[in-house]
Amino acid sequence: MRKNIQKSLILAVAIACCTMVACREKPGTPISKHTFLLEMDFEDWLLRQAVWPANANVQLLAREASDSTHAGAMHPVDRLAQVLEAHAWTDSLPIWFPDILAKGAADDPSILKLRQAYGNAILLVSKSASRRLQDSCEIIVQNDGRIEIVTNLSNSEGNLGNLLQLEGKLGFYETWNYDEVIAGIAKMREATFRIEDGDTVFDVFDLGAEHQTGFGQELTELSFVPDRPVVWFAQTADTATVGQIFRTHSSNGAFPTQIKFAWSNTELTTAPGIFELIALKTMDTGKPRLEGTAVKFARQDFEPGTVAPMVSIEMYKEGAWEWSRMTRSNLQRCVAIVFDGLVFTFPTVQSEISGGRSQITGNFTVDEAKTLATVLKSGAYPAKVKIVAKNGR
């Protein structure tokens, strides 16, 4: 029996093989350009996509297809096509990679589908890099699939090291409703509100009040839904400041101890440039109730009898038990799917989900559903990523 979770936040991730992302520039920072070149391990990525990664021929294919990628002269999927032709393995692709080749138009070449899937993975990493770096930067996905980052801050290498080694984790969180944290928000506002010489110097509400929130009014208490986990709105330029204020007052005891805050991965469709801050409920350890390693399988699918995209999930046995308990205890509440510190979606649980299989439905495009499936299936980044070159100027 299918049990659906209704998706409440529309993802807006464009899939492309060549992408540039512009990061914020911090005023007053001396300009010193640094360039980093990142590479996602194609062999690792390809083996993760295979239904039988231990198969000797699949391993040989992945190894040979990765041999020339470090030279940067050829896209790894083009090299893959050469290896397939050399070994006469093209007809084996649907057997080795059924999840990838089942997607897209029936007459699309298999290599095109593989290239699109690899492009999705590269875009996921490049978008994560742009969010994690706090300085002025350009991120360019090159034709060979590697990611070039040109940035200003001298400590960017450290930031990238943290990005590649510590981030990219997936978790399923319970959430706090707005009416459960409104008292903490009032304390936070009172503590940060300052008046000098009769003029308001700082009011945290000003970080949202200048902008429309998408609900036809400025940011006030009336902008929020009591039984939803959205506790703030902000433009991109204000997210770091607002986030720091919430974290500071969380540690000062204004909010429940088992709480952390995370921004939505995408802006509001009704208010471009505005992001939502979600209140997540953590375990005593600060971790999510269910970690991404519980996901056995995820894929982009279609709702039965329609062409509406959705995402199908299957959990491992232990994860299925916890997912059942988690959904049973959160009926008519939101659970949040968080990747790389950002909330990809926070659907409302309509019923207990047992058996470890569930579907996330909503206003997905095919590409949005594919991206979410990639995140869910990976449990972390879709493959190992490393810095292969750097220079400063």
Side-chain angles (χ1 to χ4, degrees):
M1 178 178 179
R2 294 177 180 262
K3 297 183 178 180
N4 295 333
I5 301 177
Q6 296 302 316
K7 176 175 171 288
S8 58
L9 179 66
I10 301 174
L11 301 177
V13 180
I15 304 303
C17 291
C18 186
T19 304
M20 177 181 290
V21 183
C23 299
R24 299 192 300 274
E25 182 172 354
K26 287 187 174 181
T29 303
I31 296 178
S32 177
K33 294 290 185 182
H34 298 268
T35 301
F36 299 89
L37 194 61
L38 307 186
E39 183 176 82
M40 190 164 71
D41 189 324
F42 185 71
E43 180 178 355
D44 182 39
W45 176 81
L46 196 63
L47 289 175
R48 293 191 191 196
Q49 312 310 309
V51 68
W52 293 305
N55 179 280
N57 287 344
V58 172
Q59 293 186 346
L60 179 61
L61 172 66
R63 186 165 58 251
E64 291 190 3
S66 302
D67 281 346
S68 66
T69 58
H70 298 289
M74 179 182 293
H75 192 283
V77 177
D78 293 334
R79 173 62 181 165
L80 174 71
Q82 292 184 347
V83 176
L84 288 168
E85 184 176 354
H87 290 282
W89 285 342
T90 303
D91 290 342
S92 297
L93 279 181
I95 301 174
W96 293 343
F97 307 100
D99 296 337
I100 292 178
L101 301 189
K103 299 179 176 67
D107 57 350
D108 280 351
S110 297
I111 290 298
L112 175 60
K113 294 180 179 180
L114 283 166
R115 181 184 285 272
Q116 290 172 337
Y118 187 66
N120 292 347
I122 288 290
L123 184 60
L124 185 65
V125 173
S126 62
K127 283 172 68 74
S128 180
S130 72
R131 292 191 301 262
R132 288 297 167 184
L133 289 175
Q134 296 297 312
D135 55 310
S136 176
C137 67
E138 286 185 337
I139 298 182
I140 303 171
V141 180
Q142 299 182 339
N143 290 332
D144 60 8
R146 296 190 294 180
I147 303 168
E148 179 183 355
I149 300 177
V150 182
T151 181
N152 286 350
L153 282 186
S154 60
N155 70 343
S156 291
E157 183 175 358
N159 288 347
L160 280 172
N162 291 335
L163 160 71
L164 302 178
Q165 297 173 25
L166 302 177
E167 301 298 337
K169 299 300 182 183
L170 171 70
F172 296 80
Y173 286 84
E174 296 172 296
T175 61
W176 295 94
N177 287 336
Y178 177 75
D179 61 2
E180 295 170 325
V181 299
I182 188 172
I185 293 175
K187 291 179 182 178
M188 179 188 71
R189 187 187 184 192
E190 181 180 356
T192 58
F193 189 83
R194 297 199 310 275
I195 295 179
E196 295 179 7
D197 299 327
D199 294 325
T200 300
V201 176
F202 180 81
D203 182 354
V204 67
F205 272 83
D206 289 340
L207 294 177
E210 297 175 0
H211 318 298
Q212 291 297 310
T213 64
F215 298 100
Q217 57 190 24
E218 292 184 338
L219 180 58
T220 68
E221 290 91 341
L222 297 178
S223 303
F224 303 96
V225 180
D227 59 353
R228 298 282 289 168
V230 178
V231 299
W232 209 258
F233 302 91
Q235 283 191 328
T236 302
D238 296 330
T239 55
T241 300
V242 172
Q244 183 58 49
I245 291 172
F246 270 84
R247 285 191 297 273
T248 298
H249 290 278
S250 177
S251 62
N252 290 343
F255 297 102
T257 55
Q258 294 174 301
I259 196 170
K260 67 187 296 186
F261 300 96
W263 290 102
S264 58
N265 179 60
T266 52
E267 61 192 11
L268 286 167
T269 55
T270 53
I274 300 296
F275 292 81
E276 297 167 298
L277 187 64
I278 314 302
L280 307 175
K281 184 180 294 186
T282 68
M283 306 299 287
D284 290 336
T285 59
K287 294 183 178 181
R289 180 161 176 177
L290 187 62
E291 297 193 6
T293 51
V295 177
K296 180 180 181 180
F297 180 74
R299 70 181 179 190
Q300 180 267 313
D301 215 332
F302 294 95
E303 294 185 46
T306 75
V307 294
M310 70 176 187
V311 178
S312 297
I313 307 172
E314 182 178 354
M315 303 272 188
Y316 287 106
K317 186 176 182 180
E318 294 79 5
W321 288 341
E322 185 58 35
W323 186 231
S324 177
R325 289 192 291 266
M326 183 175 176
T327 53
R328 182 172 64 246
S329 61
N330 284 277
L331 295 176
Q332 302 307 313
R333 294 181 65 98
C334 294
V335 295
I337 299 174
V338 180
F339 177 75
D340 192 26
L342 295 173
V343 179
F344 268 63
T345 185
F346 50 104
T348 299
V349 178
Q350 303 293 351
S351 60
E352 177 186 351
I353 301 174
S354 58
R357 298 189 181 213
S358 55
Q359 292 80 37
I360 301 177
T361 62
N363 296 320
F364 287 118
T365 66
V366 170
D367 284 343
E368 289 165 358
K370 286 181 179 178
T371 299
L372 182 56
T374 297
V375 167
L376 291 167
K377 184 177 179 180
S378 300
Y381 284 136
K384 299 174 185 175
V385 182
K386 61 183 177 181
I387 301 174
V388 295
K390 61 178 182 289
N391 63 69
R393 62 184 186 272

